[in-house]
Amino acid sequence: MSQLSLEQIANQLDSHNSRDRMLALASLRDIPATDAVPLIKKVLNDENLQIRSMAVFALGLKPTEDCYPILIKLLEADPDYGIRADAAGALGYLEDPRAFEPLVRAFYEDTDWLVRFSAAVSLGNLKDQRAHDVLVEALDSDEVVLHQAAIAALGEIKDVSSVDQILRFAQSEDWLVRQRLAEALGNMPTSKSISALHYLEKDPHPNVSASATISLKRIAEGKEN
């Protein structure tokens, strides 16, 4: 993209019209991270919450040296729970191993379930085995969405040692929990996983049964390789 276009985007980000700023932010999608991040920073404190949210998310997709400290600060101190949740999600996209401890802290200490949900999902994205304890603990939460996030994340980190703990959700009333279980078990090839997947293949919800079939195929292909 030419320098002129970057200037045009920068000018648009200063517009009083929030739609202009939103469009300018969206147009940074194809701009290299080093050029995009200084422009994203212009709207990190925008009065429009949707623009702030887009900007925070964009930092996760445009990794530069600046992104990690900004996202950590937002995760730990922003008064808006939606922004803290966005920051937790963006840290997962960055896949920076330094984010492990701040995400665990957010999971344990943040009072909002959405932030805790995003932190659990991002712990899966980091693919860090140390997340086992916090994710297994999330399975005992009162929030069904945290069960979804924790099961998916345990699958992401291929935590075979947690198979027994997640199998208790095979008859969850929430079909999304059962679907996350079917998907996760595809990364946990044990005899118990395979038995559970055969059971989930008969699930009345088509998304669950389809996910179980895909996971069984993945395990079978893994054995062949």
Side-chain angles (χ1 to χ4, degrees), residues 63 136 154 197-198 205 222:
V136 166
L154 287 163
L197 285 167
H198 283 302
H205 198 288

Short mmCIF file of all heavy atoms in Angstrom, two decimals, residues 63 136 154 197-198 205 222:
data_model
loop_
_atom_site.label_atom_id
_atom_site.label_comp_id
_atom_site.label_asym_id
_atom_site.label_seq_id
_atom_site.Cartn_x
_atom_site.Cartn_y
_atom_site.Cartn_z
N PRO A 63 1.15 -8.58 15.22
CA PRO A 63 2.16 -8.64 16.29
C PRO A 63 3.39 -7.78 16.02
O PRO A 63 4.08 -7.95 15.02
CB PRO A 63 2.53 -10.12 16.35
CG PRO A 63 2.09 -10.71 15.05
CD PRO A 63 0.97 -9.86 14.52
N VAL A 136 -8.82 -27.52 34.32
CA VAL A 136 -9.59 -28.56 35.01
C VAL A 136 -10.45 -27.92 36.09
O VAL A 136 -11.61 -28.30 36.30
CB VAL A 136 -8.64 -29.65 35.59
CG1 VAL A 136 -9.38 -30.54 36.58
CG2 VAL A 136 -8.07 -30.50 34.45
N LEU A 154 -8.45 -27.64 26.70
CA LEU A 154 -7.76 -28.90 27.05
C LEU A 154 -7.50 -29.73 25.79
O LEU A 154 -6.46 -30.38 25.67
CB LEU A 154 -8.59 -29.69 28.07
CG LEU A 154 -8.58 -29.12 29.50
CD1 LEU A 154 -9.72 -29.70 30.33
CD2 LEU A 154 -7.24 -29.36 30.19
N LEU A 197 -16.36 -41.20 21.93
CA LEU A 197 -16.68 -40.66 20.61
C LEU A 197 -17.70 -41.53 19.88
O LEU A 197 -18.58 -41.01 19.18
CB LEU A 197 -15.39 -40.49 19.78
CG LEU A 197 -14.52 -39.29 20.20
CD1 LEU A 197 -13.14 -39.37 19.57
CD2 LEU A 197 -15.20 -37.97 19.84
N HIS A 198 -17.60 -42.84 20.05
CA HIS A 198 -18.63 -43.71 19.44
C HIS A 198 -20.00 -43.41 20.05
O HIS A 198 -21.02 -43.41 19.36
CB HIS A 198 -18.25 -45.19 19.64
CG HIS A 198 -17.18 -45.65 18.69
ND1 HIS A 198 -17.30 -45.58 17.32
CD2 HIS A 198 -15.95 -46.18 18.92
CE1 HIS A 198 -16.20 -46.05 16.74
NE2 HIS A 198 -15.36 -46.42 17.69
N HIS A 205 -28.01 -34.35 18.51
CA HIS A 205 -27.71 -33.09 17.81
C HIS A 205 -26.72 -33.34 16.67
O HIS A 205 -25.64 -33.90 16.89
CB HIS A 205 -27.14 -32.04 18.78
CG HIS A 205 -27.23 -30.66 18.22
ND1 HIS A 205 -26.43 -30.22 17.18
CD2 HIS A 205 -28.06 -29.61 18.52
CE1 HIS A 205 -26.76 -28.96 16.89
NE2 HIS A 205 -27.75 -28.58 17.68
N GLY A 222 -4.21 -40.67 12.69
CA GLY A 222 -3.02 -40.51 13.52
C GLY A 222 -2.34 -41.84 13.77
O GLY A 222 -1.11 -41.93 13.81
#
